[in-house]
Amino acid sequence: MPWRLLSTDADFEREFVALLGAKREQSADVDAAVRAIVARVRAEGDEAVIALTQQFDRLELTPATMRVTEAEIDAAYEETEPATLDALRLAHERIAAHHRRQMPKDDRYTDAAGVELGSRWTAVESVGLYVPGGMASYPSSVLMNAVPAKVAGVARIAMVVPAMRGALNPLVLAAAKIAGVSEIYRIGGAQAVAALAYGTETIAPVAKIVGPGNAFVAAAKRQVFGHVGIDMIAGPSEILVIADGENDPDWIAADLLSQAEHDTAAQSILITDDSGFADAVAAAVERQLKTLSRAETAAASWAEHGAIIVVPQLDDAAPLSDRIAPEHLELAVEDPEALFSRLRNAGAVFLGRHTPEVIGDYVGGSNHVLPTARSARFSSGLSVLDFVKRTSILKLGPDQLRELGPAAIELARVEGLDAHGRSVAIRLNL
Amino acid sequence: MPWRLLSTDADFEREFVALLGAKREQSADVDAAVRAIVARVRAEGDEAVIALTQQFDRLELTPATMRVTEAEIDAAYEETEPATLDALRLAHERIAAHHRRQMPKDDRYTDAAGVELGSRWTAVESVGLYVPGGMASYPSSVLMNAVPAKVAGVARIAMVVPAMRGALNPLVLAAAKIAGVSEIYRIGGAQAVAALAYGTETIAPVAKIVGPGNAFVAAAKRQVFGHVGIDMIAGPSEILVIADGENDPDWIAADLLSQAEHDTAAQSILITDDSGFADAVAAAVERQLKTLSRAETAAASWAEHGAIIVVPQLDDAAPLSDRIAPEHLELAVEDPEALFSRLRNAGAVFLGRHTPEVIGDYVGGSNHVLPTARSARFSSGLSVLDFVKRTSILKLGPDQLRELGPAAIELARVEGLDAHGRSVAIRLNL
């Protein structure tokens, strides 16, 4: 049974805090194992990657066969059904169009004192893209990670994807081809992350690594962070639907299940001002669950982490939503814009009754890599900004140095930094 | 003796790689100790913070005396010399003016298909600002961390600063007052980071923690990351000066020493096309070193990590600079703009002979919190962007759902996600 909370109950606050704090993920302690793998790949390069791939993926590789060939990629693309290719191309086009608007602009100006200031943005030179194997090997995620990098101007995107016993998902290769991924290697796990971070004889190192993965991949990303950049560590999916009683309960039930089916640790929450509607959605979820191919996963997620919260009026949903800070937020209400203007913390918002969250997973154009586990309080979804960096610019002439210099010298003095002061004073003959 | 490399030497590449890879920081393994402190503060709140402050800072606190009073802050401000206050206010004004230009703009548009898309930026609700005690307690750093947060619209900035035996740097309090910091607590170390992340009876939790600190603070920030956001983990300072032979060697020597005096692990590098000039700078460094109050620190940094690289022509400096990816980059050459256009990886650039890096430390207006340890390859200095987060927006009507829906259903099908497909299909009566 999912959680059921009534915001007017005396112990609502306690229950809500318990819901917020409930641990959904078992964090396996793989740090030591991953540390050993990273050290080995760093020391032995290709040889270590090949041995570990044999051990974990049951696949024999050589330095020459590590990389997926152009012919293999083309073959995967050719064998993809036209309807699927069309859908991938539509998604690609829409994601690219949206992300092009995110490109930050350089800024260069001269202020009243005559000082030239500015910010210049440049692309990260090379990016590694991790794609999981097995059930979570999604072509849509390839697009969502690779397209912002391409739009940013990243010259080299090196993708890694584990091939258990040699098997690769052809759709992942097709998506990589559509997205313009430069290189693909059939390796995975912590060894692939280490190879991307430190390089091997076959794989040149990258400057940043993005993409989802299991506990080993997440631990490896944390460990190489600093030497290379990483994106966020993604947790299990979440959706919060705020809905009034005017919705079709079956629509909302389907939306809740669309996240629940991802993972037993996923979380789907409904907030509504209509207790009867809440009951109807709960019943619809039970009905729809039965027909899902991932029924077991979805049922476990819904029973353990699902929640229905009834509030006296929809306005009461806003502060609760901000505390949940959901990855995905659907506003299936009469005036979604008004409600949205009162909200602050959400990775992505889906406005109105005709915008199921799933559109954002695939073809809306916005990114589906979004902050989970309440991190929308302080972070954002993946964007072009994750693949560029900024250099700040200062340029003074002798006049400007004469004007600003004394204040710098004074602050260096009180901070006890003699050479700081001198580097200014010496230019002013002070 | 600093490193001395000649880019035309046969073993230059090997030496340059050694320079890049040389470990400058001893990373003390404080993880276990920090883990215990964080757990204790999380469990016991104020009581743990008070006990740990007694133990580490030799200071008796109560929940009532933890917070620095308005009267204390005002007194610190009043006792600050007018010249210092003027310098702090000038710095504040210039930093605020520059950072106001960094505020990202919301974007909302309707595309050709009639789909509404957008990005909305909102400020992080509350931020914790760590300020170190002792030698590294810099008022300028208070401004550099607090001002971007204020400009972003952060409503609450809670500052922590350790007060060894009760002593606080009045200039840090004065800078906090000028910057508009909301609350100041006289606590430090891992216990202060834990208190900010999880809250205590006296200190409300924040959503993000920024600011420099020692190994304990850095480890604590890493450990609470995920529960709250953190900024980068700053390493020792670095400067790369690219200079032609037309500079005054004493000016360049002062610039190199301005970073060396920060820390024995700091690194100052000169690249020049003039071997005689290189010698003159080396001699000037030795001369100037003698008169610094931090002579010992600067000498150790210069001897162990300092480097002079001579190249046949200045153009050869560009690829080396990008591999170094310096925190601070001074271009003391005839045409700094031309050289800058050929460079990619640097936290901040200082153009021309009259822009010593120190101007950027204090009063230039740009931020002095910048990526170290080659992380300018993939990250940027602190900015307003670090204190806002983005919600992506999608809004479809029935027509748009009819147009885009089938592609989403197709991608859900090939990814094996039934409920994903259903949440779209059910709205289209498919």
Side-chain angles (χ1 to χ4, degrees), chain A residues 81 83-84 87-88 90 94 98 101-102 107-109 111 113 115 117-118 120-125 138-140 171 207 222 225-229 250-251 254-255 257-258 261-262 288 291-294 330 337 340-341 343-351 353-356 358-364 366 376-383 385 389-398 401 404 407-408 410-420 422-424 426-427, chain B residues 81 83-84 87-88 90 94 98 101-102 107-109 111 113 115 117-118 120-125 138-140 171 207 222 225-229 250-251 254-255 257-258 261-262 288 291-294 330 337 340-341 343-351 353-356 358-364 366 376-383 385 389-398 401 404 407-408 410-420 422-424 426-427:
Chain A
E81 289 174 42
T84 312
L88 285 172
L90 176 68
R94 293 190 55 86
H98 179 66
R101 299 178 69 105
Q102 295 175 342
D107 186 25
R108 188 81 187 258
Y109 64 102
D111 72 9
V115 176
L117 296 103
R120 190 190 65 176
W121 294 91
T122 46
V124 174
E125 282 168 294
Y138 297 134
S140 59
L171 296 177
R222 275 186 194 270
F225 174 55
H227 183 74
V228 298
D250 269 308
W251 294 16
D255 298 349
L257 287 170
S258 73
E261 75 177 341
H262 268 301
Q288 290 187 25
T291 65
L292 296 178
S293 62
R294 298 196 186 205
E330 259 184 44
E337 301 279 359
F340 180 46
S341 71
L343 294 165
R344 174 194 283 264
N345 300 330
V349 69
F350 304 87
L351 299 173
R353 309 188 199 285
H354 301 278
T355 317
V358 166
I359 290 296
D361 283 341
Y362 294 122
V363 292
S366 50
R377 291 173 299 128
F378 53 79
S379 64
S380 311
L382 198 71
S383 78
L385 289 172
K389 66 266 182 337
R390 187 175 41 80
T391 299
S392 71
I393 303 166
L394 272 182
K395 186 180 189 179
L396 278 68
L401 192 61
L404 296 185
E410 170 64 12
L411 292 175
R413 183 186 71 79
V414 298
E415 292 188 352
L417 296 169
D418 298 1
H420 280 61
R422 180 185 290 159
S423 79
V424 177
I426 199 170
R427 286 172 165 88
Chain B
E81 289 174 42
T84 311
L88 284 172
L90 175 68
R94 293 189 56 85
H98 179 66
R101 299 178 69 105
Q102 294 174 344
D107 186 27
R108 188 79 186 261
Y109 65 100
D111 72 9
V115 176
L117 297 103
R120 190 189 65 176
W121 293 92
T122 47
V124 174
E125 283 168 294
Y138 297 133
S140 59
L171 296 177
R222 276 187 193 269
F225 174 55
H227 183 73
V228 297
D250 269 310
W251 294 16
D255 298 349
L257 287 170
S258 74
E261 74 176 342
H262 268 301
Q288 291 187 24
T291 65
L292 296 178
S293 62
R294 298 195 185 206
E330 261 185 42
E337 301 280 359
F340 181 46
S341 71
L343 294 165
R344 174 194 284 263
N345 300 331
V349 70
F350 304 87
L351 299 173
R353 309 190 199 284
H354 301 278
T355 317
V358 166
I359 290 296
D361 284 341
Y362 294 122
V363 292
S366 50
R377 291 172 299 130
F378 53 80
S379 65
S380 310
L382 197 71
S383 78
L385 289 172
K389 65 268 182 333
R390 187 175 41 82
T391 299
S392 70
I393 303 165
L394 271 182
K395 186 179 189 179
L396 279 67
L401 191 62
L404 296 185
E410 169 64 11
L411 292 175
R413 183 186 70 78
V414 298
E415 291 189 351
L417 296 169
D418 298 2
H420 279 62
R422 180 185 289 158
S423 78
V424 177
I426 199 170
R427 286 172 164 86

Side-chain angles (χ1 to χ4, degrees), chain A residues 88-105:
Chain A
L88 285 172
R89 279 189 295 245
L90 176 68
H92 175 260
E93 191 183 298
R94 293 190 55 86
I95 298 164
H98 179 66
H99 285 74
R100 277 195 288 268
R101 299 178 69 105
Q102 295 175 342
M103 194 69 193
K105 285 186 180 48

Side-chain angles (χ1 to χ4, degrees), chain B residues 124-320:
Chain B
V124 174
E125 283 168 294
S126 54
V127 165
L129 166 51
Y130 193 94
V131 177
M135 287 275 283
S137 190
Y138 297 133
S140 59
S141 292
V142 173
L143 298 181
M144 293 293 178
N145 281 279
V147 172
K150 288 295 281 189
V151 169
V154 173
R156 172 175 170 249
I157 303 176
M159 181 171 128
V160 293
V161 53
M164 184 58 75
R165 295 193 162 81
L168 285 172
N169 180 348
L171 296 177
V172 158
L173 301 185
K177 183 181 167 82
I178 290 170
V181 167
S182 327
E183 304 157 22
I184 307 176
Y185 300 93
R186 60 188 108 232
I187 58 173
Q191 59 273 22
V193 173
L196 289 170
Y198 293 103
T200 71
E201 299 87 334
T202 302
I203 303 172
V206 300
K208 181 160 185 168
I209 301 175
V210 301
N214 63 17
F216 284 83
V217 172
K221 280 169 66 181
R222 276 187 193 269
Q223 288 181 21
V224 300
F225 174 55
H227 183 73
V228 297
I230 61 167
D231 61 348
M232 68 193 90
I233 307 284
S237 299
E238 308 155 1
I239 188 169
L240 169 60
V241 181
I242 303 179
D244 58 29
E246 302 304 306
N247 289 282
D248 183 329
D250 269 310
W251 294 16
I252 302 303
D255 298 349
L256 294 170
L257 287 170
S258 74
Q259 295 310 301
E261 74 176 342
H262 268 301
D263 191 336
T264 56
Q267 181 164 53
S268 303
I269 302 178
L270 167 68
I271 304 184
T272 181
D273 60 348
D274 184 328
S275 177
F277 177 74
D279 295 337
V281 171
V285 166
E286 298 304 330
R287 232 174 16 244
Q288 291 187 24
L289 257 176
K290 302 199 177 91
T291 65
L292 296 178
S293 62
R294 298 195 185 206
E296 211 173 320
T297 301
S301 159
W302 178 244
E304 201 171 340
H305 307 298
I308 295 177
I309 303 175
V310 178
V311 291
Q313 42 199 350
L314 283 177
D315 274 359
D316 300 321
L320 301 180

Side-chain angles (χ1 to χ4, degrees), chain A residues 13 15 29 57 71 80 96 114 122 138 145 151 178 191 194 224 235 245 277 326 328 339 376 379 428:
Chain A
E13 177 61 24
E15 284 188 58
D29 190 6
D57 298 344
T80 302
T122 46
Y138 297 134
N145 281 280
V151 168
I178 288 170
Q191 59 274 20
V224 301
F277 176 74
H328 304 107
L339 185 52
S379 64
L428 299 176

